[in-house]
């Protein structure tokens, strides 16, 4: 008998497209979505705990925490169906309290949610074309009322309860600001919209009957009992040379990513085109958060404004500017800290006492954890002798992470996109395949510095040998082999007729395995540069290949829903993937454990040799296909292995990391061997 058990350890990443994606559990712990998890992160002690999403989840859409901080609601799409899961945060680990998945009304997905002040009721807004607002007594899974909020397929962005009244709710969207009251089993609108309709992006309650609302044209409104009491406009002036006005913001295309791809709001290019003939631009207010003195709001790219209420007046004045690119804002319970999430998938925080030091100078956010990738990660590698993970990305950066301290060791930005990366076994240098060249670079204490370049454009796979004396780089359907002693190209392996998707070295570096879209798996003898074995199956496009530590069996996964064992040019066994596509594979150094990534974002951990029956543990790490897997021996021990894998979520263009320890218990005679591995999911 054997069992492979996984437990989440750490995650690097944020799913910024999730509505209401950051909030405080208590003064030290924040909650945010990452991968297929919600992460509880202690900002002081730096530990993380995890609330898993649903199995086979395709997308996490919205979050809401109850006012008493006891419950967390997660809206997801699971196998094309909407699901709301309510977790009890007070239990350890967090347990599911209720699952709302049987509906007697039409619904595609729930895009915004809110708990009532007493935490007994849940408000949920569905997406167009239904656009229903549902009022639940969630503990009993009873729908108390349902009403259609829009009939013209306009987007609805946010719903909320009055902070003191279970029966009073607010809904905002494009051309929509509605106050409704629950009475006699129905939700009835209590206000009448007057004047020009606005695109209301966000709102917050600042009192029992007072609401601040922000628009896509930089306007802020104060409504009391549905009547407008105050209005102001946030104007962003184009910067002028030497100007130090607080109204000035340095606009940058790299900072402007509003709105998300799936949003119906204007794109950045549309915004620029609309304002190209004007010296003024209108910032979009995507986030508003209330606190005791007033409220904070995002004010377009690169700016957060604090507004304080003037004494004895329903008027707010701008008191402070904090510069950053914001999608969601949240104050800590004591109001000492303001945290923010951005469209660049970053988490920031600022201490509110700093904003009181000088109210005439802009304060700045700091990273809550560390700088994260802001675009798809294209390459991932681990190191044999150091606890390092290296990644490269379409955000034109290369980063080196430490999976023991859970920190970012090194970061450097470049002018070109990077597609592949490999760490030398020593941990002292890396190979990176950029769009224009292949570069070898030294890892210094505070820098990553190139020392050799090759004219290999857009290499999608590169890999150092286990001994570090060679490295391979893929160029289309050709593999170039280089030495690290004199840095010369000693071999060019030709034979594939399609793009090479994966390469792997055997333990003593005498052979190289390659698999490609042409359905070919080749074993190359590096002494002669010739193919030693070959196995071609035109009906399968291979995603990943690896080889057992004894170099006897090649393991390959591809698009035909199987895992293949190949030896001497023959397919020995084909193990079915059971309704998913295997996308990545790695085997432990001991050869006793194997880890396979799937097209639905799961990791399957199984013993090796593979059993005849369906026997594995499966972990839902992501909502998109796992695309890369790597493993390395942890420093200082022969019984620990680091497994890292990468996952891309196509619908959101996001990549996320998480590190998980896995325990594999083997029973042999009367002895038990416990092997622990660390696993990084992107």
């Amino acid at each position: 008998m054997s069992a492979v058990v996984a437990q989440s350890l750490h995650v690097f990443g944020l799913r910024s497209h999730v509505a209401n994606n950051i909030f405080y559990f208590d003064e030290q712990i924040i909650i945010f979505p990452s991968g297929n998890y919600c992460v509880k992160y202690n900002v002081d002690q730096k530990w993380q705990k995890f609330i898993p999403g649903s199995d086979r989840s395709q997308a996490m859409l919205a979050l809401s925490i109850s006012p008493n901080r006891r419950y967390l609601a997660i809206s997801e799409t699971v196998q094309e169906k909407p699901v709301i899961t309510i977790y009890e945060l007070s239990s350890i680990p967090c347990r599911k309290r209720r699952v709302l998945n049987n509906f007697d009304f039409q619904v595609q997905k729930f895009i915004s949610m809110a708990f009532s002040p007493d935490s007994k009721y849940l408000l949920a807004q569905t997406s167009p074309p239904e656009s229903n607002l549902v009022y639940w007594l969630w503990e009993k899974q009873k729908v108390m009322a349902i009403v259609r909020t829009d009939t013209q397929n306009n987007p609805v962005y946010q719903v909320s309860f009055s902070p003191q009244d279970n029966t009073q709710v607010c809904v905002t969207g494009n051309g929509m600001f509605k106050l409704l009251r629950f009475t006699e089993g129905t939700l009835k609108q209590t206000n009448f919209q007057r004047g020009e309709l606005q695109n209301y992006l966000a709102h917050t309650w600042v009192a029992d009957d007072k609401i601040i609302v922000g628009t896509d044209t930089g306007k802020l409104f104060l409504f009391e009992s549905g009547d407008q009491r105050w209005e102001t406009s946030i104007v962003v002036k184009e910067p002028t040379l030497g100007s130090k006005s607080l109204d000035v913001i340095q606009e940058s295309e790299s900072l402007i990513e509003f709105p998300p791809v799936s949003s119906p709001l204007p794109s950045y290019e549309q915004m620029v085109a609309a304002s190209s003939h004007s010296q003024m631009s209108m910032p979009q207010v995507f986030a508003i958060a209330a606190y005791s003195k007033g409220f904070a709001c995002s004010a377009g790219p690169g700016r957060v404004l604090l507004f304080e209420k003037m004494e004895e007046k329903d008027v707010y004045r701008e008191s402070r500017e904090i510069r950053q690119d914001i999608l969601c804002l949240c104050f800590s319970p004591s109001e000492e800290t303001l945290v923010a999430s951005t469209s660049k998938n970053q988490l920031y925080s600022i201490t509110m006492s700093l904003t009181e030091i000088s109210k005439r100078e802009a304060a700045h956010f700091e990273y809550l954890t560390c700088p994260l990738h802001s675009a798809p990660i294209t390459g991932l590698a681990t190191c044999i002798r150091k606890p390092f993970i290296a990644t490269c990305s379409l955000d034109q950066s290369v980063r080196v992470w430490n999976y023991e301290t859970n920190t970012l060791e090194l970061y450097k930005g470049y002018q070109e996109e990077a597609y592949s990366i490999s760490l030398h076994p020593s941990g002292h240098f890396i190979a990176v395949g950029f769009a224009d060249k292949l570069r070898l670079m030294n890892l210094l204490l505070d820098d990553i510095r190139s020392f050799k370049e090759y004219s290999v454009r857009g290499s999608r796979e590169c890999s150092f040998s286990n001994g570090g004396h060679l490295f391979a780089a893929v160029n289309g359907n050709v593999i170039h082999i280089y030495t690290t002693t004199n840095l010369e190209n000693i071999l060019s392996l030709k034979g594939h007729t399609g793009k090479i998707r994966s390469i792997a070295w055997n333990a003593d570096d005498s052979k190289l395995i390659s698999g490609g879209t042409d359905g070919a798996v080749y074993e190359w003898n590096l002494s002669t540069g010739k193919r030693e074995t070959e196995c071609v199956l035109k009906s399968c496009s291979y995603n990943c290949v690896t080889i057992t530590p004894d170099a006897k069996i090649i393991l390959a996964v591809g698009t035909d829903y199987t895992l293949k064992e190949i030896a001497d040019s023959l397919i020995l066994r084909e193990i079915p993937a059971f309704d998913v596509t295997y996308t990545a594979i790695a085997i432990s150094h001991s050869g006793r454990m194997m880890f396979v990534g799937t097209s639905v974002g799961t990791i399957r951990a199984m013993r090796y040799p593979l059993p005849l029956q369906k026997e594995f543990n499966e972990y839902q790490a992501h909502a998109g296909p796992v695309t890369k897997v790597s493993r390395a021996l942890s420093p200082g021990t022969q019984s620990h292995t680091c497994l890292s894998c990468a996952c891309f979520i196509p619908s959101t263009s996001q990549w996320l990391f998480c590190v998980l320890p896995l325990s594999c218990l083997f029973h042999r005679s009367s002895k038990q061997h416990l092997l622990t591995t660390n696993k990084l999911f992107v």
Side-chain angles (χ1 to χ4, degrees):
M1 292 291 294
S2 67
V4 182
V5 181
Q7 178 184 338
S8 302
L9 179 63
H10 202 83
V11 61
F12 301 95
L14 169 70
R15 297 187 70 171
S16 60
H17 70 288
V18 177
N20 194 25
N21 59 34
I22 187 168
F23 38 79
Y24 273 90
F25 173 64
D26 58 29
E27 196 63 40
Q28 288 79 37
I29 298 174
I30 63 168
I31 297 177
F32 60 89
S34 186
N36 197 52
Y37 298 94
C38 279
V39 182
K40 293 176 69 176
Y41 175 65
N42 189 302
V43 296
D44 294 329
Q45 300 176 19
K46 309 301 182 185
W47 55 254
Q48 292 184 351
K49 295 182 180 179
F50 298 87
I51 305 168
S54 302
D55 292 341
R56 301 298 175 93
S57 174
Q58 296 165 284
M60 193 177 294
L61 302 171
L63 305 178
S64 181
I65 191 170
S66 62
N68 61 12
R69 300 293 196 272
R70 289 186 58 187
Y71 307 111
L72 172 68
I74 302 177
S75 166
E76 298 173 280
T77 300
V78 180
Q79 295 182 325
E80 308 297 337
K81 296 181 180 179
V83 174
I84 295 177
T85 307
I86 299 172
Y87 290 85
E88 191 168 342
L89 295 174
S90 56
S91 63
I92 300 176
C94 298
R95 68 180 181 91
K96 292 182 180 180
R97 185 66 176 261
R98 288 290 182 273
V99 178
L100 309 177
N101 56 7
N102 293 317
F103 313 111
D104 56 3
F105 51 88
Q106 291 293 319
V107 55
Q108 294 184 13
K109 55 187 177 181
F110 294 98
I111 56 176
S112 181
M113 300 181 297
F115 280 96
S116 62
D118 61 5
S119 304
K120 293 182 179 179
Y121 299 93
L122 181 70
L123 204 61
Q125 175 68 48
T126 72
S127 62
E130 294 84 12
S131 298
N132 288 320
L133 181 64
V134 189
Y135 189 98
W136 259 298
L137 180 61
W138 64 266
E139 191 76 64
K140 296 184 178 181
Q141 303 185 38
K142 181 180 179 181
V143 175
M144 305 297 292
I146 184 170
V147 64
R148 190 168 186 180
T149 53
D150 182 76
T151 59
Q152 300 178 357
N153 289 340
N154 288 321
V156 180
Y157 301 119
Q158 185 181 353
V159 298
S160 67
F161 276 97
S162 165
Q164 302 295 330
D165 188 351
N166 284 350
T167 66
Q168 183 76 35
V169 302
C170 178
V171 183
T172 52
N174 191 355
M176 184 189 316
F177 170 71
K178 292 186 178 182
L179 293 176
L180 301 101
R181 184 172 294 278
F182 176 70
T183 177
E184 299 177 352
T186 60
L187 284 165
K188 296 181 180 179
Q189 186 171 348
T190 59
N191 71 317
F192 298 94
Q193 296 181 216
R194 302 182 181 90
E196 182 182 356
L197 297 179
Q198 303 282 338
N199 189 4
Y200 300 106
L201 301 181
H203 70 262
T204 189
W205 296 77
V206 292
D208 296 354
D209 58 350
K210 297 175 183 177
I211 304 173
I212 294 290
V213 185
T215 75
D216 65 341
T217 56
K219 291 184 178 180
L220 292 170
F221 298 94
L222 171 66
F223 291 96
E224 181 178 3
S225 300
D227 296 324
Q228 182 181 323
R229 301 297 187 190
W230 172 78
E231 175 185 351
T232 190
S233 293
I234 303 168
V235 178
V236 178
K237 298 177 182 178
E238 296 298 330
T240 57
L241 186 63
S243 173
K244 295 184 179 180
S245 168
L246 284 182
D247 290 330
V248 173
I249 174 173
Q250 184 69 40
E251 291 196 350
S252 167
E253 185 170 349
S254 64
L255 286 178
I256 300 175
E257 278 203 340
F258 297 127
V261 175
S262 60
S263 172
L265 299 178
S267 66
Y268 166 68
E269 289 79 13
Q270 290 171 325
M271 291 168 57
V272 171
S275 60
S276 60
H277 300 292
S278 172
Q279 290 299 310
M280 298 291 189
S281 62
M282 296 177 291
Q284 301 186 36
V285 182
F286 280 94
I288 309 177
Y291 71 121
S292 58
K293 294 182 180 180
F295 65 91
C297 72
S298 63
R303 194 165 74 156
V304 171
L305 300 180
L306 294 183
F307 284 80
E308 293 182 359
K309 185 177 180 181
M310 299 177 66
E311 294 182 4
E312 300 180 356
K313 294 181 180 180
D314 288 329
V315 177
Y316 292 81
R317 63 181 176 86
E318 179 185 333
S319 65
R320 206 69 184 84
E321 175 190 77
I322 308 169
R323 299 194 174 188
Q324 201 41 251
D325 180 8
I326 306 300
L327 285 183
C328 188
L329 294 167
C330 181
F331 285 96
S332 63
S334 67
E335 299 182 352
E336 291 182 0
T337 307
L338 176 64
V339 296
S341 65
T342 78
S343 60
K344 287 288 188 179
N345 306 331
Q346 307 297 324
L347 292 170
Y348 293 92
S349 68
I350 191 168
T351 303
M352 292 300 292
S353 60
L354 295 177
T355 67
E356 301 298 329
I357 297 174
S358 172
K359 291 193 174 184
R360 297 306 303 166
E361 293 183 5
H364 297 276
F365 279 91
E366 295 181 350
Y367 286 105
L368 185 65
T369 54
C370 58
L372 305 170
H373 280 296
S374 60
I377 295 171
T378 50
L380 175 144
T382 51
C383 181
I384 293 177
R385 298 189 180 95
K386 291 186 178 182
F388 287 168
I389 297 166
T391 56
C392 60
S393 169
L394 296 183
D395 63 11
Q396 301 178 333
S397 73
V398 171
R399 301 171 198 239
V400 178
W401 315 78
N402 188 312
Y403 61 78
E404 287 190 346
T405 61
N406 299 322
T407 56
L408 180 65
E409 293 278 341
L410 286 171
Y411 160 85
K412 191 163 186 178
Y414 296 89
Q415 297 299 314
E416 305 86 21
E417 294 177 343
Y419 300 120
S420 62
I421 194 167
S422 182
L423 264 166
H424 190 269
S426 66
H428 293 152
F429 53 96
I430 56 176
V432 182
F434 287 95
D436 60 340
K437 292 180 181 178
L438 175 72
R439 291 181 173 89
L440 291 183
M441 298 188 285
N442 282 316
L443 300 180
L444 307 178
L445 286 176
D446 56 358
D447 194 14
I448 302 174
R449 193 169 299 168
S450 176
F451 66 88
K452 180 65 176 179
E453 296 182 349
Y454 300 92
S455 56
V456 178
R457 299 173 62 86
S459 177
R460 301 283 174 166
E461 289 288 327
C462 64
S463 177
F464 281 103
S465 63
N466 295 302
H469 60 295
L470 300 172
F471 69 94
V474 171
N475 185 10
N477 59 1
V478 179
I479 305 171
H480 299 291
I481 307 295
Y482 302 86
T483 68
T484 56
T485 51
N486 58 17
L487 307 179
E488 291 182 356
N489 181 199
I490 59 171
L491 282 175
S492 292
L493 308 178
K494 301 177 181 179
H496 280 278
T497 58
K499 290 184 178 179
I500 298 170
R501 296 286 300 275
S502 179
I503 55 176
W505 299 85
N506 71 338
D508 63 5
D509 299 327
S510 61
K511 299 175 183 177
L512 186 74
I513 313 302
S514 63
T517 58
D518 55 359
V521 174
Y522 294 146
E523 182 179 7
W524 304 87
N525 186 315
L526 298 184
S527 298
T528 63
K530 304 295 183 182
R531 281 180 290 186
E532 197 163 279
T533 67
E534 60 183 78
C535 180
V536 181
L537 186 64
K538 295 292 186 181
S539 60
C540 178
S541 175
Y542 286 104
N543 296 319
C544 189
V545 296
T546 189
I547 188 169
T548 57
D550 59 10
K552 292 181 179 179
I553 296 177
I554 297 170
L555 301 167
V557 293
T559 57
D560 63 349
Y561 303 97
T562 65
L563 186 158
K564 295 179 179 61
E565 290 183 317
I566 302 171
D568 298 325
S569 300
L570 298 174
I571 298 176
L572 302 182
R573 282 209 298 168
E574 289 186 285
I575 297 90
F578 305 105
D579 72 13
V580 299
T581 300
Y582 284 148
T583 55
I585 186 171
I587 190 166
S588 67
H589 284 279
S590 67
R592 299 171 182 170
M593 296 182 291
M594 189 166 63
F595 308 95
V596 185
T598 74
S599 57
V600 295
T602 61
I603 292 294
R604 291 180 177 176
M606 55 191 78
R607 62 189 173 108
Y608 192 82
L610 293 169
L612 295 176
Q613 67 274 25
K614 181 180 178 180
E615 186 178 315
F616 53 79
N617 284 338
E618 188 165 22
Y619 304 96
Q620 184 77 46
H622 299 283
V626 174
T627 54
K628 288 190 179 295
V629 176
S630 179
R631 55 97 177 106
L633 205 64
S634 294
T637 176
Q638 294 298 309
S639 63
H640 286 72
T641 302
C642 170
L643 177 72
S644 51
C645 45
C647 168
F648 174 49
I649 304 171
S651 61
T652 61
S653 299
Q654 293 180 21
W655 290 70
L656 306 162
F657 295 90
C658 58
V659 182
L660 291 86
L662 290 134
S663 299
C664 184
L665 187 60
F666 291 89
H667 297 269
R668 290 197 173 183
S669 301
S670 60
K671 296 182 179 180
Q672 295 181 352
H673 306 279
L674 184 65
L675 300 178
T676 304
T677 67
N678 284 321
K679 186 167 65 171
L680 173 76
F681 299 91
V682 181

